[in-house]
Amino acid sequence: MTEEFGAGGSRPAHQPNHIPGPHPAGPHPAGPHHTGPDPTQPFAGGPVSAATAQLAPPRPARSSRAGLLAGAVVLALVSGGVGGAVGVIATREDSRPPVTNALDAPRPDVSTVANAPAGSTQAVAQKVLPSVVMIEVASNRAEGEGSGVVLSSDGLILTNNHVASGGGSNATIVVRFSDGTSAPARIVGADPVSDLAVIKVEGRTDLTPIEMGSSADLQVGEPVIAIGSPLGLAGTVTTGIVSALNRPVSTSGQGTDNPNAPQPVIDAIQTDAAINPGNSGGALVDYDGRLIGINTAIATLGSGGLGGQQSGSIGLGFAIPVDQARRVARELIDTGRATYAQIGIKLRPQDSVALVLEATPGGPAAEAGIPAGAVITKLDDRVIDSGEALIAAVRSRQPGDKVKVTYTDDTGNNPTTVEVTLTAATVDGAR
């Protein structure tokens, strides 16, 4: 698996701004307010002083009565208004429509299976799910789960080498199908260089083979669907797009006793469809339900969970292009092992340039005149910017392909283009 590390951080949750309540109003100083009897009228309590007469103008007694009457009228009007409102409310409550409840409605007679629009995620899932399986591998050394795709009705299944060979040579393999049935399986052939394997279940002739597509004309941004068994959750469907093409990705090598076996480097399709441990070997399909890749690896931000298990999807998943997987699967079925293309040079995969340390005598590069110390910058029209990029580009081709290789000297000058015929190689000790 590829690993990417970065520093994460947390950000405090946003706190709502404090909104102060209204300030209490202080005592409002009132102006002069005078009450008392009319100074122009006789008052039983005694004579009225001149000061009082100036502050309180005369008010006839009749006006006072009229004010009381007017107040009474206003009170009556207000009371009448309240009474009217109460009457309106009572009337509206009486005319409220009856209560309806969604739980009381009859269950509709519809079929979401029949109504799945052509080209929808739902329709693709219905088509592809019967062709994707969960694979369980167990031994006294290790146990784990992965995914696979059905190649033939009689039980041939394509998966990753690190899934099929992960338990060692004496592991038992059980395949679980979408209908809930299961069957034991055996390895037909496995290739650690391409990280692909073919297994076969016994006693089944009714399986649904997946429809093969092509990875040659994929475009960045094209919608895709990943189907597999992440974390043992069989039949999981996730969606995304093709995020990038021709990503050189190193994976862990398994299934060979040769310590000098080449490190698996795949020329991967990158996708942001959610891929997690257990998706390995599962299907990456287009929206016609055709296989375009075998999900193989994910990038992570580091370890997480108990026991240092890798963390989950961060939107960086990688799949082996189906054109390469198809060729390797055919060779594994026919011969039990697969070949891969080689150019015949030694280099350091981790270098940021494809520096030729040595051109193998008699090999394709040496025959084409590529010297030690050269820096390969292009393979056909593909830019080569690292050692791994050259490995991935070469292995994406077939043995016997003719390619144009552009290289410079170690100073980056004197670009030269030559034609190279790639040759075939196999891994000793591979199953």
Side-chain angles (χ1 to χ4, degrees), residues 3-98:
E3 297 287 340
E4 294 186 4
F5 297 91
S10 60
R11 195 167 68 185
H14 175 67
Q15 298 293 331
N17 292 329
H18 174 67
I19 302 176
H23 292 288
H28 191 306
H33 183 63
H34 303 279
T35 57
D38 191 334
T40 61
Q41 301 297 325
F43 183 63
V48 179
S49 67
T52 303
Q54 290 176 358
L55 292 173
R59 178 183 300 173
R62 198 167 86 183
S63 296
S64 187
R65 291 180 57 208
L68 291 174
L69 290 174
V73 172
V74 171
L75 180 60
L77 289 175
V78 172
S79 299
V82 172
V86 172
V88 170
I89 291 173
T91 303
R92 288 177 181 170
E93 286 181 349
D94 293 339
S95 61
R96 181 176 295 174

